[in-house]
Amino acid sequence: MARIDLDHIRHAYGARTQKPAQYALKEVHHTFEDGGAYALLGPSGCGKTTLLNIISGLVQSSEGRILFNGRDVTPLSTQERNIAQVFQFPVIYDTMTVYDNLAFPLRNRGVAEREVDRTVREILAMIDLESWTNRKARGLTADQKQKISLGRGLVRADVNAILFDEPLTVIDPHMKWVLRSQLKQLHKRFGYTMVYVTHDQTEALTFADQVVVMFEGEIVQIGTPAELFARPEHTFVGYFIGSPGMNVLPVTLEGGTARIGTNEIQLHTAPTQAPNGTIELGIRPEFVRIGREGMPATVTKVEDVGRHRIVRAKVEGHEVAAILGEDDEIPAEPRMIFDPAGINLYADNWRVETAR
Amino acid sequence: MNKTWNNKAWFMVLPVLLLVALSAVIPLMTVVNYSVQDTFGNNQFFWAGTEWFQEMLTSDRFWAAMGRNLMFSAIVLAIEIPLGIVIALNMPKSGWGVPVCLVSMALPLLIPWNVVGTIWQVFGRVDIGLLGYSLRQIGIDYNYVNDPFDAWVTVIGMDVWHWTSLVVLLCYAGLVSIPDAYYQAAKIDGASRWAVFRYIQLPKMNRVLLIAVLLRFMDSFMIYTEPFVVTGGGPGNATTFLSIDLVKMAVGQFDIGPAAAMSIIYFLIILLMSWVFYTVMTNYDAER
């Protein structure tokens, strides 16, 4: 196990370039602590897989260094870095048996056959494929194949880190849940450093202690699930996490008061310094109240999602979503209040610090 | 259940029946017809039964040609399949090298067979041919006209030059269909170059290799044009393959009966061997 330091990593595919827009990764400077469970969360094409491949050495970053436990591993090959990685789509060696598939990474490294047997049987029990031990891996379902890929990632005990690249995409929902809790258990038991790439917020939030949110080749926020929910550092984090995502409305600011059109919203505290650029107000649907007081709103749609209802409304021409209890009623002339506790201010998409 | 019976529908299959009849059934039956009869010209035919078959199967000439054919196919397969795989493995996967390699690989395949024969016939000549003359100059006693071994080397060299590309292109198609993730996973698993070949590349090429072996076997077993142009079956009978012998017999000596019997035996052997190859390779595939 190792602490992984990413030292000013930048990466551009193809020719070296000076234009920042052509970088798949724009400067990542971050430390994955030894034994931590991290999730890299972000939309497709945000650079999370690139970052993972740079850590494992499948991709050489254009700039920057990588250190494992303080040792510079940037020039080392994937083999020398001793990393396990599980890919999005199952990779199995289909001429081998299930057993040999799992033994392959160990045998390649010259592990004694007795030790191989012990470890492989343990992993087989964990991924619940004991009855398939001596079957050729060819005829398996996608689920089972991915379990083998996962198993191959877990079979080596001495790896520096285990990287997962959306490993549960092809697995059915129930099995997803089972495997995820097994991974979590493993993490608790052995204290592997784990980095888990996903675009599924539920997966990220349940798996990781620390979620790293990426957007357009940058890390926009690192935090616990609670922090990401309460204080999104970037409007993107607000949109991306939560269902539905955060409402973001353009406002004008006058000291401790924000204005949307003719409506005034009292803030808890004023920003520590007056921000420049486009000012926006972000509020999660959970903090929007609908009643007979506040700003006039027009309800455009009500979605019943079971435990609660999502109300889509318009305030001064801007879309606002609100979450309403199953039995709460919507008045004939609805009005809206933003709970000051849930308000964040943004200048050019980045959160403005307020004295709290 | 009520079915509408309309026998006019049979007319729909008439065109294909006609085509198959003209292209396959009638010519084949003509050969069968010749193989059981004897003729002394003037379109007079006499029933001969299985006489020609017996004669063929007991003739040294037939078995000698057959032996040469089998040896030729075996050598050609043993060289072209591994060589094709090696070349395909070393071809670039992307960039400007890909079209360059593909076009230069495809070139020999586009040359008409008798032109291939002519090229090598001239290439190997000791007086004006680049290959023959150069070999002579560096002190190698090479002459495909007189020496049976040299004739074989020339014919095999020609076939390898002509057809290895086919194996390369088929293998290359198999190789480029392997997703990158496989190579990445192999790196993570610490697989050696040999392990990558043995467990990733070879299994993925399996199907195309089956096609390559079948095609190369059938084509090499039926080879006619190129050795006919280069050596004419000589020196002596050293490069007289079944097809060359067949033409000598049917056209040169006008022994239609024995030639027809030989054609049928020849055809059955190719059918049998192809079936054996196919069964062995598909069974091997299904077992896993």
Side-chain angles (χ1 to χ4, degrees):
Chain A
M1 296 303 113
R3 188 185 78 233
I4 300 170
D5 292 302
L6 304 174
D7 182 11
H8 298 97
I9 296 284
R10 278 153 71 82
H11 185 70
Y13 286 103
R16 224 163 241 246
T17 168
Q18 294 304 313
K19 285 184 210 152
Q22 282 174 310
Y23 277 90
L25 272 185
K26 300 166 190 155
E27 183 112 354
V28 172
H29 187 71
H30 176 61
T31 298
F32 293 108
E33 292 299 338
D34 187 5
Y38 294 88
L40 284 181
L41 181 65
S44 306
C46 72
K48 47 195 195 323
T49 300
T50 305
L51 186 58
L52 212 61
N53 288 344
I54 286 174
I55 296 174
S56 63
L58 294 172
V59 171
Q60 277 290 339
S61 64
S62 318
E63 293 161 39
R65 296 187 310 153
I66 300 172
L67 299 99
F68 289 176
N69 284 335
R71 189 167 83 99
D72 190 353
V73 296
T74 321
L76 297 189
S77 71
T78 304
Q79 259 123 313
E80 292 165 311
R81 290 188 194 188
N82 200 15
I83 286 269
Q85 187 170 358
V86 180
F87 300 91
Q88 183 173 7
F89 294 103
V91 174
I92 54 154
Y93 306 106
D94 47 11
T95 54
M96 292 189 205
T97 61
V98 171
Y99 182 97
D100 290 338
N101 257 281
L102 294 176
F104 191 58
L106 295 172
R107 287 178 179 156
N108 284 332
R109 287 178 167 80
V111 175
E113 204 57 31
R114 265 185 51 210
E115 178 64 15
V116 171
D117 191 63
R118 195 188 58 73
T119 327
V120 169
R121 294 204 181 273
E122 191 182 331
I123 298 291
L124 276 169
M126 194 168 68
I127 58 176
D128 199 23
L129 281 177
E130 281 162 307
S131 52
W132 292 76
T133 309
N134 291 316
R135 290 273 301 265
K136 293 277 183 191
R138 165 164 292 186
L140 302 178
T141 62
D143 271 30
Q144 291 166 321
K145 285 182 181 174
Q146 187 64 343
K147 280 188 187 173
I148 294 175
S149 302
L150 215 53
R152 272 209 324 276
L154 302 171
V155 80
R156 286 183 285 143
D158 63 334
V159 288
N160 282 317
I162 307 180
L163 312 177
F164 301 94
D165 189 359
E166 307 190 24
L168 303 181
T169 313
V170 294
I171 291 188
D172 77 64
H174 171 68
M175 202 59 220
K176 244 183 200 170
W177 190 84
V178 173
L179 285 175
R180 207 161 53 220
S181 27
Q182 275 174 347
L183 288 181
K184 195 107 212 213
Q185 269 178 12
L186 258 165
H187 177 252
K188 286 212 181 88
R189 215 172 111 201
F190 298 109
Y192 294 121
T193 309
M194 289 183 169
V195 182
Y196 191 107
V197 161
T198 178
H199 59 248
D200 179 341
Q201 47 166 311
T202 327
E203 226 168 87
L205 300 179
T206 52
F207 175 80
D209 315 328
Q210 289 270 304
V211 178
V212 179
V213 185
M214 293 188 67
F215 179 57
E216 291 181 346
E218 271 180 298
I219 293 180
V220 286
Q221 187 170 6
I222 300 164
T224 61
E227 284 168 0
L228 297 181
F229 185 81
R231 258 179 295 290
E233 286 298 329
H234 189 274
T235 49
F236 169 75
V237 181
Y239 295 131
F240 200 67
I241 290 175
S243 172
M246 187 171 71
N247 299 302
V248 178
L249 306 157
V251 291
T252 50
L253 211 55
E254 284 164 21
T257 313
R259 275 178 197 280
I260 304 176
T262 55
N263 302 292
E264 285 190 0
I265 298 162
Q266 209 58 43
L267 302 173
H268 250 0
T269 45
T272 40
Q273 60 191 78
N276 302 315
T278 318
I279 313 291
E280 284 164 311
L281 176 148
I283 183 150
R284 292 207 172 270
E286 286 82 354
F287 294 100
V288 178
R289 312 266 174 264
I290 291 185
R292 295 180 201 284
E293 286 168 52
M295 302 172 283
T298 23
V299 173
T300 50
K301 205 158 113 193
V302 179
E303 296 162 27
D304 197 328
V305 291
R307 300 183 314 281
H308 56 252
R309 286 179 295 170
I310 297 168
V311 178
R312 309 271 179 195
K314 281 203 166 165
V315 173
E316 297 277 338
H318 304 296
E319 295 269 1
V320 176
I323 288 183
L324 213 60
E326 201 57 357
D327 304 319
D328 296 348
E329 61 167 322
I330 302 168
E333 277 181 24
R335 284 166 173 271
M336 230 175 226
I337 293 175
F338 293 167
D339 184 345
I343 292 179
N344 287 297
L345 282 179
Y346 296 89
D348 288 336
N349 290 326
W350 291 94
R351 201 172 78 89
V352 179
E353 204 52 52
T354 55
R356 267 177 203 271
Chain B
M1 219 170 82
N2 281 324
K3 265 192 181 168
T4 319
W5 287 99
N6 186 348
N7 283 329
K8 280 179 195 143
W10 284 105
F11 285 110
M12 304 292 242
V13 291
L14 196 62
V16 79
L17 273 180
L18 273 173
L19 267 176
V20 172
L22 285 172
S23 67
V25 181
I26 294 174
L28 191 67
M29 289 322 288
T30 317
V31 175
V32 172
N33 191 30
Y34 284 145
S35 73
V36 291
Q37 297 190 71
D38 195 1
T39 179
F40 303 102
N42 288 337
N43 236 356
Q44 284 182 300
F45 287 91
F46 305 94
W47 177 251
T50 58
E51 195 183 318
W52 298 131
F53 288 93
Q54 282 166 11
E55 191 185 307
M56 265 302 130
L57 290 173
T58 52
S59 89
D60 293 342
R61 175 177 164 183
F62 173 79
W63 288 110
M66 169 75 104
R68 284 189 285 270
N69 252 33
L70 286 174
M71 179 136 101
F72 180 73
S73 290
I75 294 173
V76 155
L77 282 178
I79 296 174
E80 287 177 13
I81 299 291
L83 185 63
I85 292 175
V86 169
I87 295 174
L89 286 175
N90 289 300
M91 265 168 66
K93 298 278 180 299
S94 59
W96 58 268
V98 175
V100 173
C101 284
L102 287 180
V103 169
S104 50
M105 280 296 145
L107 272 180
L109 299 174
L110 300 174
I111 300 173
W113 298 3
N114 55 345
V115 177
V116 172
T118 312
I119 290 173
W120 278 77
Q121 202 263 344
V122 176
F123 188 45
R125 276 174 65 166
V126 291
D127 49 353
I128 56 165
L130 182 63
L131 176 74
Y133 186 76
S134 313
L135 285 177
R136 271 293 168 98
Q137 290 306 304
I138 59 171
I140 296 170
D141 184 22
Y142 168 88
N143 189 342
Y144 69 80
V145 182
N146 297 329
D147 187 302
F149 180 78
D150 293 348
W152 268 79
V153 168
T154 312
V155 172
I156 286 168
M158 176 174 61
D159 200 78
V160 168
W161 176 82
H162 193 182
W163 288 112
T164 304
S165 307
L166 179 74
V167 182
V168 173
L169 294 179
L170 284 169
C171 288
Y172 186 72
L175 284 175
V176 293
S177 72
I178 302 174
D180 260 358
Y182 278 80
Y183 295 114
Q184 296 182 336
K187 272 192 197 165
I188 297 282
D189 291 338
S192 61
R193 182 70 195 82
W194 165 252
V196 169
F197 174 69
R198 171 68 187 78
Y199 298 112
I200 296 174
Q201 293 172 322
L202 197 57
K204 291 279 168 190
M205 282 194 291
N206 204 354
R207 282 181 179 282
V208 287
L209 275 180
L210 167 71
I211 297 170
V213 168
L214 270 179
L215 283 178
R216 282 318 300 133
F217 170 74
M218 289 190 295
D219 274 350
S220 65
F221 203 72
M222 295 188 292
I223 190 160
Y224 173 75
T225 316
E226 301 99 309
F228 181 77
V229 173
V230 177
T231 63
N237 276 333
T239 55
T240 301
F241 299 112
L242 280 175
S243 56
I244 295 178
D245 207 19
L246 186 63
V247 173
K248 267 188 198 166
M249 201 183 291
V251 183
Q253 295 152 258
F254 213 71
D255 285 337
I256 287 177
M262 186 171 162
S263 310
I264 288 172
I265 297 168
Y266 195 10
F267 169 70
L268 290 178
I269 290 168
I270 291 174
L271 202 64
L272 179 76
M273 297 289 276
S274 303
W275 178 78
V276 169
F277 272 117
Y278 184 79
T279 316
V280 168
M281 293 185 81
T282 47
N283 273 4
Y284 177 67
D285 216 36
E287 249 173 49
R288 298 179 311 164

